[in-house]
Short mmCIF file of all heavy atoms in Angstrom, two decimals:
data_model
loop_
_atom_site.label_atom_id
_atom_site.label_comp_id
_atom_site.label_asym_id
_atom_site.label_seq_id
_atom_site.Cartn_x
_atom_site.Cartn_y
_atom_site.Cartn_z
N ASP A 232 2.89 82.94 -94.95
CA ASP A 232 3.78 83.23 -96.08
C ASP A 232 4.10 81.93 -96.80
O ASP A 232 4.50 80.94 -96.17
CB ASP A 232 5.06 83.87 -95.55
CG ASP A 232 5.94 84.43 -96.64
OD1 ASP A 232 5.92 83.89 -97.77
OD2 ASP A 232 6.65 85.41 -96.38
N PRO A 233 3.95 81.87 -98.11
CA PRO A 233 4.20 80.63 -98.85
C PRO A 233 5.68 80.21 -98.81
O PRO A 233 6.00 79.05 -99.05
CB PRO A 233 3.76 80.94 -100.27
CG PRO A 233 3.75 82.42 -100.38
CD PRO A 233 3.50 82.94 -99.00
N ASP A 234 6.57 81.12 -98.47
CA ASP A 234 8.00 80.79 -98.40
C ASP A 234 8.41 80.24 -97.03
O ASP A 234 9.53 79.77 -96.86
CB ASP A 234 8.85 82.03 -98.70
CG ASP A 234 8.70 82.50 -100.14
OD1 ASP A 234 8.56 81.63 -101.02
OD2 ASP A 234 8.72 83.71 -100.37
N GLN A 235 7.48 80.31 -96.07
CA GLN A 235 7.82 79.89 -94.71
C GLN A 235 8.16 78.39 -94.63
O GLN A 235 9.20 78.02 -94.09
CB GLN A 235 6.69 80.20 -93.74
CG GLN A 235 7.04 79.81 -92.30
CD GLN A 235 5.95 80.19 -91.31
OE1 GLN A 235 4.94 80.78 -91.67
NE2 GLN A 235 6.17 79.87 -90.06
N ALA A 236 7.33 77.55 -95.15
CA ALA A 236 7.56 76.10 -95.07
C ALA A 236 8.84 75.68 -95.77
O ALA A 236 9.66 74.94 -95.20
CB ALA A 236 6.36 75.33 -95.62
N PRO A 237 9.10 76.16 -97.01
CA PRO A 237 10.37 75.80 -97.64
C PRO A 237 11.58 76.33 -96.87
O PRO A 237 12.62 75.65 -96.77
CB PRO A 237 10.29 76.43 -99.03
CG PRO A 237 8.85 76.69 -99.28
CD PRO A 237 8.23 76.88 -97.93
N ALA A 238 11.45 77.53 -96.30
CA ALA A 238 12.57 78.09 -95.52
C ALA A 238 12.83 77.27 -94.27
O ALA A 238 13.98 77.00 -93.93
CB ALA A 238 12.27 79.55 -95.16
N GLU A 239 11.74 76.87 -93.60
CA GLU A 239 11.91 76.04 -92.39
C GLU A 239 12.56 74.71 -92.74
O GLU A 239 13.45 74.24 -92.03
CB GLU A 239 10.56 75.82 -91.71
CG GLU A 239 10.02 77.05 -91.02
CD GLU A 239 8.60 76.89 -90.50
OE1 GLU A 239 7.92 75.89 -90.86
OE2 GLU A 239 8.18 77.77 -89.72
N ALA A 240 12.12 74.10 -93.83
CA ALA A 240 12.70 72.81 -94.26
C ALA A 240 14.18 72.98 -94.63
O ALA A 240 15.03 72.15 -94.24
CB ALA A 240 11.92 72.26 -95.44
N ALA A 241 14.49 74.05 -95.33
CA ALA A 241 15.88 74.29 -95.71
C ALA A 241 16.76 74.57 -94.49
O ALA A 241 17.90 74.11 -94.43
CB ALA A 241 15.95 75.47 -96.70
N MET A 242 16.23 75.30 -93.52
CA MET A 242 16.99 75.56 -92.30
C MET A 242 17.23 74.27 -91.52
O MET A 242 18.32 74.06 -90.97
CB MET A 242 16.28 76.60 -91.41
CG MET A 242 16.42 78.02 -91.89
SD MET A 242 18.13 78.60 -92.03
CE MET A 242 18.66 78.53 -90.33
N LYS A 243 16.23 73.42 -91.48
CA LYS A 243 16.39 72.12 -90.80
C LYS A 243 17.49 71.31 -91.47
O LYS A 243 18.33 70.71 -90.81
CB LYS A 243 15.08 71.35 -90.81
CG LYS A 243 14.53 71.12 -89.45
CD LYS A 243 13.28 70.28 -89.53
CE LYS A 243 12.47 70.61 -88.42
NZ LYS A 243 11.85 70.22 -87.48
N ALA A 244 17.47 71.28 -92.79
CA ALA A 244 18.48 70.54 -93.55
C ALA A 244 19.86 71.15 -93.32
O ALA A 244 20.85 70.43 -93.15
CB ALA A 244 18.13 70.54 -95.03
N ALA A 245 19.92 72.48 -93.29
CA ALA A 245 21.20 73.16 -93.07
C ALA A 245 21.73 72.85 -91.66
O ALA A 245 22.93 72.60 -91.48
CB ALA A 245 21.04 74.66 -93.24
N GLU A 246 20.86 72.87 -90.67
CA GLU A 246 21.27 72.55 -89.30
C GLU A 246 21.78 71.11 -89.21
O GLU A 246 22.74 70.82 -88.50
CB GLU A 246 20.11 72.78 -88.33
CG GLU A 246 19.80 74.24 -88.10
CD GLU A 246 18.52 74.50 -87.33
OE1 GLU A 246 17.72 73.56 -87.13
OE2 GLU A 246 18.33 75.66 -86.92
N SER A 247 21.15 70.23 -89.95
CA SER A 247 21.59 68.83 -89.98
C SER A 247 23.00 68.74 -90.59
O SER A 247 23.84 68.01 -90.08
CB SER A 247 20.60 67.99 -90.79
OG SER A 247 21.06 66.68 -90.91
N GLU A 248 23.24 69.47 -91.67
CA GLU A 248 24.55 69.48 -92.30
C GLU A 248 25.62 70.01 -91.31
O GLU A 248 26.69 69.44 -91.19
CB GLU A 248 24.55 70.38 -93.55
CG GLU A 248 23.92 69.77 -94.75
CD GLU A 248 24.75 68.68 -95.38
OE1 GLU A 248 25.97 68.82 -95.48
OE2 GLU A 248 24.15 67.67 -95.77
N VAL A 249 25.29 71.09 -90.64
CA VAL A 249 26.23 71.70 -89.71
C VAL A 249 26.52 70.77 -88.54
O VAL A 249 27.66 70.70 -88.07
CB VAL A 249 25.70 73.08 -89.22
CG1 VAL A 249 26.58 73.63 -88.12
CG2 VAL A 249 25.62 74.05 -90.39
N SER A 250 25.52 70.03 -88.10
CA SER A 250 25.72 69.12 -86.97
C SER A 250 26.70 68.00 -87.30
O SER A 250 27.29 67.42 -86.41
CB SER A 250 24.39 68.55 -86.50
OG SER A 250 23.89 67.62 -87.44
N ARG A 251 26.89 67.72 -88.59
CA ARG A 251 27.83 66.68 -88.98
C ARG A 251 29.28 67.14 -88.96
O ARG A 251 30.17 66.31 -89.11
CB ARG A 251 27.47 66.15 -90.37
CG ARG A 251 26.26 65.24 -90.31
CD ARG A 251 26.11 64.50 -91.60
NE ARG A 251 24.78 64.81 -92.10
CZ ARG A 251 24.46 64.92 -93.37
NH1 ARG A 251 25.35 64.71 -94.28
NH2 ARG A 251 23.24 65.22 -93.72
N LEU A 252 29.47 68.43 -88.84
CA LEU A 252 30.86 68.92 -88.77
C LEU A 252 31.46 68.45 -87.45
O LEU A 252 30.89 68.64 -86.39
CB LEU A 252 30.90 70.45 -88.80
CG LEU A 252 30.69 71.10 -90.15
CD1 LEU A 252 30.76 72.61 -90.00
CD2 LEU A 252 31.69 70.63 -91.17
N GLY A 253 32.61 67.85 -87.53
CA GLY A 253 33.26 67.38 -86.32
C GLY A 253 34.16 68.43 -85.71
O GLY A 253 34.37 69.51 -86.26
N GLY A 254 34.71 68.08 -84.57
CA GLY A 254 35.64 68.98 -83.89
C GLY A 254 36.90 69.20 -84.67
O GLY A 254 37.56 70.23 -84.53
N ASP A 255 37.24 68.23 -85.52
CA ASP A 255 38.45 68.39 -86.34
C ASP A 255 38.33 69.59 -87.26
O ASP A 255 39.28 70.31 -87.48
CB ASP A 255 38.68 67.14 -87.21
CG ASP A 255 39.33 66.01 -86.44
OD1 ASP A 255 39.70 66.23 -85.26
OD2 ASP A 255 39.48 64.92 -87.02
#
């Protein structure tokens, strides 16, 4: 699927953003 690679990249970026959320 041509949307697979962009979706995987976007999910990786989203996971990175979420990982920066602190306990606060």
Side-chain angles (χ1 to χ4, degrees):
D232 190 329
D234 293 324
Q235 182 177 358
E239 287 173 348
M242 283 302 296
K243 244 183 207 232
E246 288 171 348
S247 175
E248 283 287 319
V249 172
S250 71
R251 284 193 237 147
L252 284 180
D255 281 354

